[in-house]
Amino acid sequence: MTNNPVKPTACKLLDIMPQTQTEWTFRVKNNLPIKHGQFMQLSLPKVGEAPISISGFGDGYVDFTIRKVGKVTDGLFSLKKGDNIFIRGCYGNGWPTEQFKNKTVVIIAGGTGVSPVKSLVNMLCEHSNYARNIYLILGFKNSHSILFADELKKWQTASHFHVIYTLDDENYPGFKKGLVTDFIKEIPFASFDNEYECIIVGPPIMMKFVGMGLLMNKVPEKKIWMSFERKMSCGIGKCGHCRIDETYVCLDGPVFNYTIGKKLID
Amino acid sequence: MVEDCNIKKLRNNCFRQSKVPGEFMLQLRVPGALIDAKWLDVIKHVCQTWGDGTFHLGMRQTLNAPRIKAKDIPAVNEYIQPYLQAVECDMCDVKMQTKDGYPYIAPRNIMACIGGIHCIKGNVYTQRLAQKLEKLIYPNPYHIKISVSGCPNDCGKGHFQDFGIIGCTKPIYTIDRCIGCGACVRKCESAATRVLSLNDKNKVEKDPCCCVGCGECVTACPTGAWRRPAKDFYKIILGGRTGKQYPRMGKMFANWLTEESVLSIMKNWPKFSEWVLGGKPIYIHGGHLIDRAGYQRFKDFMLDGVNLNPEAMIAENINWAETEYRSNIHVKPLDKHLSVK
Amino acid sequence: MKHAQTYQLTVNEMNEFLEQLSKKYDIYAPVRISCGGRYAKDDSIIYQPINTYQEIEFHERSTYPLKEVLTPITQTLFYFTEDEFKESKSPQKDVLIFGRACDINSIKIQDQIYLQNGGIEDYFYKRIRDKIKFILMDCPEQFEGCFCCSVGANKTDMQSLAVSDNNGSAYVGIYDSDFNNYFAKYSAVDHEIQTPLENELKVDYPVIDNLDLANKLKEHPMWKEFDARCIGCGSCTVSCSTCTCFETTDIVYTQNAHIGERRRTCSSCMVDGFDKVAGGQSFRKKTSEKYRYKILHKVYGYNARFHTGPMCVGCGRCSARCPELISYPATLNKLSQAIKEIKGGVQHD
């Protein structure tokens, strides 16, 4: 027996890119195929293992944007370029990107919830004819918690992108003050000819209210996609932590259509 | 006419003087406070035949029959003989005559909580120890108050006895059975002495020095990672008392004693009392004997010939704190002094 | 149960047999641990390696389940250095486990999760599972709260041997020809080892056939009482034959911070922190929610995923271990009642 799905592989840490004081992007050597919206189990000897969304990937690397919370992530913040980091995966279904082809894509994300969609947004930005128009509402708590500032600028200037960036409780150039839910009404759903899909990622309470906001704007449930964050100790359907009824978020998610996601009651 | 009664003699016979001249209250000893329920018929019969039909539950777990006439005492003593035989001689292996009632009242009934035979907190079988202690201190002309509690909750109020014996455990931790749930840590924090913590490996660390030995960690543990060893341990709280003059709470004299060590220490009590009182058993409470001798002398006497178990710990000194109903209550003119000659 | 060739062995002969087996097998059985129980002077019974027949506890239900042999409460998965994770050593010998019908059936449920779920086999489970053979213990005396017959866990065909203790001797039934040669010197007796046909306790195990019903049940007031009654200690899940959840933790050696172990430790959905994500958010904060989650996994979630019946073998350990005397069968009855109410359209505020 050689195949051990929970055995991690040592990979070189290629770069560390601080986003904010507490949120850094770690670029790790990787050659495995990845789908937008998947996650990996990241481990640090001495500390432990945690599921982390993939915030970006490219030729020979994978990015993880991590907030300094919890035991595992604290340990990560003492690493240096060239250190080894252990990873296994990738896991999860990822975003249904095929569904987005030639449609308008509405993406509403909050805080670290931007990470699981970042690579998808970049792809949609670079391949301007993959989808039609992109409506992006990204919310952060305040100016200190803004993630991916460079990307935010890039997306703002893309001609097929319509962006609204918000801060919960601060006036700041380039950002509107308020919650992402306050700006759902600015999306012209009626003009999309029914050819659109919506993505929601963020803390559970934010996803709940954004979901309600979209439904109020007559968005059909089946056009809404959401990504769930749950505790996981294995990523392969054994440890039981991410289970909700018959659903294992690690195996069946983390991305769920709203029609299914709304029934996932912990 | 007032009936002629030798109240001191009757008191020694465990009949306590009533405010009504000529009436007395019988106190049946129940060492360890657990007996066959059939004996309730005996006290009931005494109350209804020779008393006024009421029954008093004694403060020290005795079975009391108030309002017995002095003239009826011989009949009562004859009637209770089978009880004395069964409880004192058969159950506790006490060597005594039973035909004329109790020979002494000075060693008070040995109290005990229900303990490990029933209580979920109990660490030890309290009755078993109480019965063994009864054999050591009874019959005897020297006063002593003992209680046995099954755990450091001390429902037996050992802190207000001459000797409060408290059943403890030294829990064994099997690290591989621990799931790091922290139930023991939280329980120790809320119910005991906060000696447990979870370490960075999500396992439990213990400060053994301050562990009170209650066993709450064992009860709280969902996996059996904590368990009680077969060996019981006891602590002895010494010199507590109530009273008009110098009430005080007892302090720890010994910790982590095995039953054998406890019994071997307690066996020295009559010898110590005899020495303090110069062989003249006067009616004086046990705690005052410790005061007269001083703790160090007391300790020497009580530990004489005792082979302590290796875990045992003994107080080097004890500083009691009394309720001072009058300040400097111990400062007395020399003619009132008991220990300065 | 298919009829097996049965032999009668004395205790000495059993010990001789076990000694021979021990060359090839590590043998596990329920063993009495003196004073190992929750309360003073109570024993516990735990699955442990045995050498002799007399060590096996036949007359009382084990406190903790058979699963501990396969998935110990704490298990080292890897030893790691700065650049390598190395798997812990595999069991060297094959493994024989004495277990009752319910205990053996519980391993089917463990298998489902560790070997089937998501089409991924757990390496550490499989490496011991492949080495295991079962020795069925019969249940001439059933224990308080057993209800294996109500969930169909009273019968099994997974055993290689069956043993019935008979006061100073043992009947041994052979179901696996690998063991025939041990018995060449004995002659067969006419005795059939039986597993329970009926329990005193009969449980009408509730059926929840769809997620909408399960979700409606989550809103039902039946769970409220458990906020006050259940203390969320996890004793029920630790003693459960079928619960599988675990936590993964790394530790480093105190003397050298660069090497250490990755461990798998049993965890419980009843205990705070089970569902806590890195940011601190939990999804089931109230004890009643945790209890409801556990019960609905047994009754609904597991079957809805695998379609193989309840996640329960009726062993009765969860109720036996509950320090708050919460009866699992009583909860199941309340659940059945709640299902009736919901199907009948009864509204609760």
Side-chain angles (χ1 to χ4, degrees), chain B residues 122 176-177 203 224 228 232, chain C residues 35 38 40-41 64 68 74 252:
Chain B
D176 279 349
R177 288 198 72 79
K203 300 287 183 184
R228 292 176 179 82
D232 291 336
Chain C
C35 295
R38 175 180 286 138
K41 313 300 170 199
Y64 300 101
E68 287 188 11
T74 306
V252 284

Side-chain angles (χ1 to χ4, degrees), chain B residues 116 119-125 128 175-183 186 200-203 215 218-232, chain C residues 33-41 44 46 64 68 72-74 232-236 238-239 247 249-254 263 265-268 271-272 321 323:
Chain B
C119 182
I120 60 171
K121 308 281 184 197
N123 291 314
V124 301
Y125 292 149
R128 204 181 61 181
I175 195 165
D176 279 349
R177 288 198 72 79
C178 177
I179 62 169
C181 67
R186 287 189 297 278
D200 60 349
K201 300 168 177 67
N202 217 32
K203 300 287 183 184
V218 180
T219 312
C221 181
T223 67
W226 284 110
R227 66 188 162 89
R228 292 176 179 82
K231 194 172 172 184
D232 291 336
Chain C
I33 309 295
S34 172
C35 295
R38 175 180 286 138
Y39 302 125
K41 313 300 170 199
S44 64
I46 300 186
Y64 300 101
E68 287 188 11
I73 287 181
T74 306
C233 67
S235 291
C236 53
V238 172
S239 64
E247 202 85 50
T249 327
D250 285 4
I251 64 122
V252 284
Y253 302 135
T254 320
R263 288 174 179 171
T265 311
C266 162
S267 75
S268 169
V271 171
D272 272 343
R321 270 296 283 169

Side-chain angles (χ1 to χ4, degrees), chain B residues 123-138:
Chain B
N123 291 314
V124 301
Y125 292 149
T126 50
Q127 300 78 22
R128 204 181 61 181
L129 182 64
Q131 290 160 16
K132 288 180 183 174
L133 288 165
E134 178 78 349
K135 182 180 161 66
L136 296 181
I137 59 137
Y138 201 81

